Amino acid sequence: MTLVGGGPSGAPDFVREDGVLAFVDIAQVKLDSGVVLPRVRMAYETWGELNADGSNAVLIEHALTGDTHLTRGRAREHAPEIERTRAEAPGWCENLVGPGKVIDTEKYFVVAINMLGGCYGSTGPATPAPPSVDPAGKPWGPRFPFVTVRDGVRAEAAVADALGIRQWRLVMGGSMGGARALEWAATFPDRVRACGVIASCAASSAEQIAWGQAQSLALRQDPAFASGYYYDGEFPMAGLGLARRIAHITYRSAAELQTRFSRDPQPGESVLGTAVGDRGRYKVESYLDYQASKLADRFDANSYLTLNEALMSHDVARGRGTLREALAGTTCDWLVAAVDSDRLYYPYESDALCEALPGDVVRHTIHSDSGHDGFLIEDGQLGELVRQTVLRD
Amino acid sequence: MTLVGGGPSGAPDFVREDGVLAFVDIAQVKLDSGVVLPRVRMAYETWGELNADGSNAVLIEHALTGDTHLTRGRAREHAPEIERTRAEAPGWCENLVGPGKVIDTEKYFVVAINMLGGCYGSTGPATPAPPSVDPAGKPWGPRFPFVTVRDGVRAEAAVADALGIRQWRLVMGGSMGGARALEWAATFPDRVRACGVIASCAASSAEQIAWGQAQSLALRQDPAFASGYYYDGEFPMAGLGLARRIAHITYRSAAELQTRFSRDPQPGESVLGTAVGDRGRYKVESYLDYQASKLADRFDANSYLTLNEALMSHDVARGRGTLREALAGTTCDWLVAAVDSDRLYYPYESDALCEALPGDVVRHTIHSDSGHDGFLIEDGQLGELVRQTVLRD
């Protein structure tokens, strides 16, 4: 494994950079399925500096379609403009991570890693396959191995090794990020001092699997998907868009959708058409169309499938006995929090996790009317919980 | 309008038959969109006999993918075997309707009408279009007019006229059947003596519209759907199947799916595949596959679209002022009931209906762990509510 970090150029760079994509190359990752994935590149970003005893590193794990850009940073002085612009762009964790924020980048060395199989820099289905798989170097596509959340975490451990981080001060994430954080604590108990599992669960439920299947099928049934070999042709926008619509409805709450959209027609459109194939949209449909095209513009379809199915596979107890037994070796402090209106990761799933953890772990609540996405929206409440529990020092 | 009833042969038949499909032809129906739908045939079944003063007729309205066969019946003696077999087959309302049942066919004249646009005998997209639309007599397909729940009820009123029913003793239905029942009471207040709105609502919510859109797109995006012109080619099984999966998840509860399926793999299948395109199924996926193919084997895709979009259009107050104003003219007794675990038609939506109805209407509760489908599963509870409220005599 080699540290090649510093920027997309791949050239080493020892000047401090924040919020710039960097990479760790791993010779191979042995997966839960038994398959060995060769030539794995893991993408990450960092903010702040690792202290002398390596005790201030915080890992923030992104959710299904998230990326590594937590917050604005700074590229090295003579970096290409595109790199500087990207580094300085706001991130998805802007209110939690930064100088003086709860996760203070003046104090902590903050790391975000793109999940294995993703499309924000880490090796995934869109990555050229090695010659042993495709002599022409075409993308892996549907030949990309099935990865589990646990596989992803094992690859992330190689990033931690490369960065010289023996133990994380905190590993935290929401939704699939929470699943990743939990797997970190269970797989590497001595490498996690505190763990934050937000709006997540110990194992994907039957219902989460059912929604996952619907999303996978939405994508697979798009003829443009072409069984995953679409890189030379049309992108399966419609299929990925439908997968996102299904997911997005589960991410919000009925009450929020009702308050925002009610039954209003999209301005200028008539919802009572003259024929079944010819009617205007309701506002909520237009909103979901927007969510769909926004994702399809930025996300690889095979990566969506890969991460979606990884999330379906999430079960921290797989091969480890009961849930209680699987978590018995964990030694970290915990922040387990659920969004009260979440109807994808129900609060009772967080309760079940707390009950199985060693010691007395209470389940915290994030109040939101928005459903699951409340874990992103209510970052003020989440920050306060982090301050009160896992980052008290 | 002509009464041609008696059986698929279309020949008049004055011997009493129960549970046999019969038809009423209507010259035209003027739709909410302004479009005039010509040559409408409405299919229905009946059980029992209309009494002398026409006061014992009960209309049971089916849900989105339901049909008119409420319970077993009896064809005329010399009917073709297929007709006799069909008549004697059990129906979907077997425990509520029949001799000695709560809706006693010895006492009541029970009627079920296939919704306009459906595929169980009434005119719908699969019906040959009239020569003015298609000189070759091909099916309407996507040219079939957009119909609302209210349009459907107006066409049903013609069936009531043909049967000599001036006022229904009771109109009742669950889910979309409840929407149809409510529209009956609001559109024809003097023709409804009692109304049962079960697991339904006054107007489809933003979330219900959102799920409806996902289902429509699942179907439309199937290349076999061919913009609705698939009657000469392959049937869009995959698209209709995905629509059904999405719907079915919303019809059940997370708790029920978890209890029945948990994370179990389908026997003989490995859920951790070797590649993303190659993995076995979870049991819950196999269950949804079964639900999908079962529906796709029996339902027309364009009818699904037509009724799904009709349900999205459901708003008893459309063009009638506030909900309270829309319902102010209703004079019937009410049974409004919600399933406590329903997460598609939430109990608070039934509460909102009760609050808007004239007089003091209480919302009843059907206890079920199964979610929305509890209105079908818990027919014992529903029967008891019917007995206690709208059919006390």
Side-chain angles (χ1 to χ4, degrees), chain A residues 1 39 48 99 106 121 135 149 178 215 219 318 322 350 356 363 375:
Chain A
M1 153 191 350
R39 292 199 188 190
E106 304 287 353
V149 171
Q215 292 169 55
L219 194 45
R318 189 178 53 253
T322 64
S350 290
R363 188 260 290 175
F375 86 88

Side-chain angles (χ1 to χ4, degrees), chain A residues 68-201:
Chain A
T68 54
H69 200 59
L70 301 177
T71 184
R72 57 197 84 205
R74 192 173 53 92
R76 68 194 190 285
E77 206 171 337
H78 300 293
E81 190 176 338
I82 189 170
E83 194 176 318
R84 278 185 289 136
T85 305
R86 192 186 176 285
E88 287 161 21
W92 61 267
C93 214
E94 198 71 15
N95 296 328
L96 279 178
V97 177
K101 302 283 168 68
V102 173
I103 300 170
D104 188 344
T105 50
E106 304 287 353
K107 185 172 172 185
Y108 298 107
F109 179 55
V110 181
V111 181
I113 307 176
N114 185 219
M115 166 97 180
L116 177 65
C119 55
Y120 286 108
S122 290
T123 292
T127 306
S132 60
V133 173
D134 193 319
K138 294 211 173 209
W140 278 97
R143 300 167 297 183
F144 192 75
F146 185 90
V147 300
T148 64
V149 171
R150 196 176 296 170
D151 290 329
V153 163
R154 281 203 205 93
E156 288 166 25
V159 178
D161 293 341
L163 292 173
I165 298 162
R166 207 204 61 78
Q167 185 190 56
W168 296 103
R169 174 65 188 82
L170 169 67
V171 181
M172 185 173 89
S175 196
M176 185 174 192
R180 296 164 71 194
L182 181 61
E183 270 293 350
W184 256 101
T187 309
F188 303 106
D190 58 340
R191 299 191 73 167
V192 179
R193 200 176 134 199
C195 184
V197 182
I198 316 301
S200 192
C201 62

Side-chain angles (χ1 to χ4, degrees), chain A residues 14-303:
Chain A
F14 300 100
V15 180
R16 170 177 158 181
E17 294 192 293
D18 281 354
V20 171
L21 210 59
F23 304 93
V24 167
D25 286 333
I26 315 170
Q28 60 177 50
V29 177
K30 181 150 189 231
L31 304 172
D32 276 345
S33 63
V35 171
V36 173
L37 178 62
R39 292 199 188 190
V40 175
R41 168 164 281 200
M42 295 294 289
Y44 66 94
E45 295 184 35
T46 68
W47 293 260
E49 284 180 83
L50 189 63
N51 61 10
D53 64 357
S55 64
N56 71 333
V58 169
L59 176 62
I60 304 292
E61 299 278 52
H62 66 72
L64 186 68
T65 61
D67 63 21
T68 54
H69 200 59
L70 301 177
T71 184
R72 57 197 84 205
R74 192 173 53 92
R76 68 194 190 285
E77 206 171 337
H78 300 293
E81 190 176 338
I82 189 170
E83 194 176 318
R84 278 185 289 136
T85 305
R86 192 186 176 285
E88 287 161 21
W92 61 267
C93 214
E94 198 71 15
N95 296 328
L96 279 178
V97 177
K101 302 283 168 68
V102 173
I103 300 170
D104 188 344
T105 50
E106 304 287 353
K107 185 172 172 185
Y108 298 107
F109 179 55
V110 181
V111 181
I113 307 176
N114 185 219
M115 166 97 180
L116 177 65
C119 55
Y120 286 108
S122 290
T123 292
T127 306
S132 60
V133 173
D134 193 319
K138 294 211 173 209
W140 278 97
R143 300 167 297 183
F144 192 75
F146 185 90
V147 300
T148 64
V149 171
R150 196 176 296 170
D151 290 329
V153 163
R154 281 203 205 93
E156 288 166 25
V159 178
D161 293 341
L163 292 173
I165 298 162
R166 207 204 61 78
Q167 185 190 56
W168 296 103
R169 174 65 188 82
L170 169 67
V171 181
M172 185 173 89
S175 196
M176 185 174 192
R180 296 164 71 194
L182 181 61
E183 270 293 350
W184 256 101
T187 309
F188 303 106
D190 58 340
R191 299 191 73 167
V192 179
R193 200 176 134 199
C195 184
V197 182
I198 316 301
S200 192
C201 62
S204 294
S205 69
E207 181 184 78
Q208 287 152 9
I209 292 169
W211 288 128
Q213 183 201 34
Q215 292 169 55
S216 282
L217 287 177
L219 194 45
R220 291 185 199 277
Q221 291 182 188
D222 184 338
F225 182 65
S227 304
Y229 293 103
Y230 55 80
Y231 292 107
D232 288 335
E234 190 195 336
F235 185 80
M237 294 286 288
L240 183 55
L242 178 54
R244 179 59 159 190
R245 281 183 187 85
I246 297 167
H248 195 81
I249 305 172
T250 68
Y251 296 162
R252 315 301 289 206
S253 72
E256 190 214 20
L257 295 176
Q258 191 64 16
T259 304
R260 287 175 67 180
F261 305 110
S262 184
R263 300 184 40 79
D264 297 344
Q266 180 69 358
E269 302 190 24
S270 166
V271 295
L272 302 188
T274 52
V276 157
D278 166 38
R279 70 158 173 86
R281 294 169 303 169
Y282 293 89
K283 252 189 193 163
V284 68
E285 292 182 286
S286 163
Y287 164 74
L288 290 166
D289 288 350
Y290 172 73
Q291 298 297 332
S293 69
K294 214 171 61 167
L295 183 82
D297 279 346
R298 72 173 176 85
F299 213 84
D300 178 54
N302 278 317
S303 270

Side-chain angles (χ1 to χ4, degrees), chain B residues 338-363:
Chain B
V339 179
D340 49 6
S341 59
D342 196 331
R343 41 71 172 274
L344 183 61
Y345 291 87
Y346 293 93
Y348 62 73
E349 295 177 81
S350 289
D351 291 338
L353 171 59
C354 289
E355 278 160 34
L357 286 171
D360 290 326
V361 179
V362 298
R363 188 261 289 175

Side-chain angles (χ1 to χ4, degrees), chain B residues 3-23:
Chain B
L3 179 61
V4 293
S9 65
D13 183 347
F14 300 100
V15 180
R16 172 178 157 181
E17 294 192 292
D18 281 353
V20 171
L21 210 58
F23 306 92

Side-chain angles (χ1 to χ4, degrees), chain A residues 206-207 258 279 309 343, chain B residues 206-207 258 279 309 343:
Chain A
E207 181 184 78
Q258 191 64 16
R279 70 158 173 86
E309 304 224 342
R343 42 75 172 270
Chain B
E207 182 185 80
Q258 190 65 18
R279 70 156 173 88
E309 305 223 343
R343 41 71 172 274

